[in-house]
């Protein structure tokens, strides 16, 4: 989550056309990254392989569930139902936003969500290009990026607070 937050904060400063803040933030990230590489144990890499193995098992279960109903998916909270058949999996979601959406909504649902985001971001980009609302575009892209990057390993958007916050940001982009 920290990598997603830092990366999206850097993108936010860049889209706000604040080059000085972007360069300072990037410099701090580079210095902190080098420092963490130099201090043994600072990156907490122990257990990373086991964690990745667990996530891979979750993603495999989600993909197999998606393939059972690829067009329309299996409905809300489908992963918990699909995973219940596995003696190994005790998680209630797939720990990957794309797999979770494909399993729940299928290709049709994910396509509709994709079209919504395309048009939403397109209208925000038009405002940005016309220099009418740089802040909105910057906020929309950086929050989408944070949720997307974090969504590679978890499903934060399913938390009501994150979802409501994101929906509010998306709703002001002119749709």
């Amino acid at each position: 989550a920290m990598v997603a937050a830092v990366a999206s904060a850097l993108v936010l400063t860049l889209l706000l056309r604040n080059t000085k803040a972007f360069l300072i933030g990037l410099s701090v990230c580079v210095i902190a990254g080098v420092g963490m590489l130099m201090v043994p144990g600072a990156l907490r890499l122990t257990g990373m392989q086991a964690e990745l193995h667990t996530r891979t098992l979750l993603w495999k279960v989600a993909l197999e569930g998606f393939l059972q109903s690829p067009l329309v998916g299996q409905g809300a909270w489908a992963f918990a139902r699909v995973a219940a058949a596995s003696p190994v999996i005790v998680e209630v979601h797939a720990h990957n936003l794309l797999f979770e959406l494909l399993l729940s909504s299928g290709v049709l649902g994910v396509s509709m969500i994709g079209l919504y985001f395309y048009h939403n971001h397109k209208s925000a980009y038009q405002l940005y290009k016309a220099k009418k609302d740089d802040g909105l575009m910057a906020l929309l892209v950086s929050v989408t990026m944070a949720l997307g990057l974090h969504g590679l390993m978890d499903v934060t958007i399913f938390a009501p607070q994150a979802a409501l916050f994101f929906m509010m940001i998306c709703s002001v982009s002119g749709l």
Side-chain angles (χ1 to χ4, degrees):
M2 186 59 71
V3 171
V6 170
S8 59
L10 288 173
V11 168
L12 178 68
T13 60
L14 194 60
L15 290 173
L16 288 173
R17 297 180 173 102
N18 191 339
T19 309
K20 185 177 178 182
F22 172 76
L23 291 174
I24 290 170
L26 187 60
S27 300
V28 168
C29 288
V30 168
I31 291 168
V34 169
M36 291 176 87
L37 289 173
M38 294 175 69
V39 176
L43 289 177
R44 296 184 322 160
L45 294 176
T46 56
M48 187 75 105
Q49 188 173 3
E51 178 72 22
L52 188 57
H53 176 70
T54 302
R55 301 286 167 121
T56 305
L57 289 174
L58 297 173
W59 299 338
K60 183 180 176 190
V61 168
L63 186 59
E64 289 169 355
F66 160 70
L67 293 174
Q68 291 173 6
S69 181
L71 196 58
V72 294
Q74 295 194 30
W77 298 106
F79 187 82
R81 291 189 305 276
V82 170
S86 170
V88 182
I89 308 293
V90 294
E91 296 289 337
V92 294
H93 62 82
H95 284 271
N96 181 290
L97 185 57
L98 181 60
F99 287 145
E100 188 74 35
L101 290 172
L102 283 169
L103 177 60
S104 299
S105 307
V107 172
L108 288 176
V110 170
S111 297
M112 288 191 301
I113 292 168
L115 281 171
Y116 169 75
F117 282 113
Y118 170 76
H119 288 292
N120 191 280
H121 284 67
K122 180 181 170 188
S123 65
Y125 176 71
Q126 289 169 344
L127 292 172
Y128 179 78
K129 200 165 101 175
K131 296 188 179 187
K132 290 184 178 177
D133 200 342
D134 291 351
L136 175 64
M137 174 65 181
L139 181 64
L140 184 62
V141 168
S142 63
V143 170
T144 302
M145 181 180 163
L147 289 172
L149 285 175
H150 192 252
L152 293 173
M153 299 300 269
D154 209 346
V155 193
T156 306
I157 194 70
F158 286 166
Q161 301 87 343
L164 288 171
F165 176 65
F166 189 59
M167 288 185 328
M168 285 189 279
I169 291 171
C170 288
S171 69
V172 296
S173 66
L175 279 180

